[in-house]
Amino acid sequence: MGLLEGLPVTAAEADVVDDCLGLHWTGVWVRTPRGERCGLASTLCPSPEPARLASPAVADAGQLDSMRLPRGGPEASLGPATLQAMIPLNQNRWTQGNADQVLAWRCRGKRVVLVGKFHFAALLGPLAASPTVLELEPLQGERPGDQAAEVLAASDLIVITGMALVNRTLDGLLPLCPPDGQVALVGPSVPLSEVLFGHGVSLLRGAFVEKPAQVMAGIRQGADFHPVRRLGVRVGIFGR
């Protein structure tokens, strides 16, 4: 069983009010016994492989409401978004704020690995003793994903993008992280669930949708995260 399949054990029953695979973000709005919630996830881009281009970009468009944790194509984003909406949220355990400041304090003098691209990479670089970026499609100066075991084993602080939940790479990354290191999951796709602390994660930075109708309208019209956040999203930090 993967990490995503393990999270629903803490989730409530829910009815889907609305769901949308947007250009940049996927949103799922549900109604639960605890009230209405909306979850977000980055929309997974289709593979450029010819075999994928020959098939529909979303293979089961029109029937996605009945699917459970789809795995392929953009529809794979529905699983993380749904779980984020359904998992009970203990707002007494998390605070508002930016991951930049928290990570800047934690990374001083540490061997830091960023798994994915982050806007705060330039801020952390000068503070860290040895900053490294690990990417599936690396640019100059970045390390490729097939070097993950070597890179992560020699790190003190690992910051992993929430997209790793969506593309199912997180299950393979977490066992490679040193047991005495710190692991942070960062991004709107990250569910603020204590279950993740049992998998070696020490810091979560995710999103809480306050105005589902406005946020879903923005997603449907192709907004990226900054406009979506202005429409009614709070960012939360949750640490153990």
Side-chain angles (χ1 to χ4, degrees):
M1 178 184 292
L3 181 55
L4 277 181
E5 285 81 3
L7 289 176
V9 297
T10 64
E13 292 298 320
D15 296 316
V16 176
V17 177
D18 190 16
D19 56 36
C20 177
L21 281 166
L23 181 62
H24 299 287
W25 291 95
T26 293
V28 176
W29 180 6
V30 302
R31 183 178 295 113
T32 77
R34 293 188 170 106
E36 295 187 357
R37 287 275 309 282
C38 182
L40 302 176
S42 297
T43 299
L44 190 64
C45 295
S47 168
E49 297 174 3
R52 181 62 182 168
L53 293 176
S55 63
V58 180
D60 296 287
Q63 305 175 51
L64 296 178
D65 289 353
S66 62
M67 299 177 68
R68 184 165 182 81
L69 297 182
R71 289 177 175 271
E75 59 268 33
S77 301
L78 287 166
T82 302
L83 292 177
Q84 190 187 113
M86 291 173 64
I87 290 172
L89 186 65
N90 183 355
Q91 296 194 45
N92 295 325
R93 291 289 309 277
W94 61 271
T95 59
Q96 286 186 253
N98 293 320
D100 314 30
Q101 298 170 342
V102 175
L103 294 173
W105 176 75
R106 293 193 178 204
C107 83
R108 293 181 181 274
K110 301 290 181 64
R111 296 168 297 177
V112 176
V113 175
L114 303 179
V115 183
K117 299 189 188 302
F118 296 96
H119 71 275
F120 50 72
L123 169 67
L124 302 188
L127 301 174
S130 176
T132 303
V133 175
L134 192 66
E135 259 291 343
L136 290 176
E137 298 179 4
L139 301 176
Q140 185 175 1
E142 299 175 347
R143 302 284 292 273
D146 59 9
Q147 296 180 10
E150 172 191 349
V151 172
L152 296 178
S155 61
D156 301 310
L157 172 63
I158 300 145
V159 185
I160 303 176
T161 173
M163 178 56 85
L165 270 167
V166 181
N167 64 20
R168 300 300 185 107
T169 58
L170 186 62
D171 284 344
L173 290 169
L174 290 178
L176 301 177
C177 298
D180 57 345
Q182 297 183 65
V183 178
L185 292 183
V186 175
S189 304
V190 176
L192 296 172
S193 168
E194 296 180 53
V195 171
L196 292 166
F197 295 149
H199 293 268
V201 179
S202 54
L203 182 72
L204 304 171
R205 188 266 202 180
F208 175 75
V209 177
E210 294 184 296
K211 300 177 180 179
Q214 290 92 319
V215 168
M216 292 295 289
I219 289 173
R220 188 164 275 111
Q221 294 174 23
D224 62 18
F225 185 64
H226 293 293
V228 165
R229 183 174 180 179
R230 289 194 294 270
L231 287 168
V233 175
R234 274 192 294 161
V235 172
I237 297 175
F238 190 5
R240 65 175 181 181

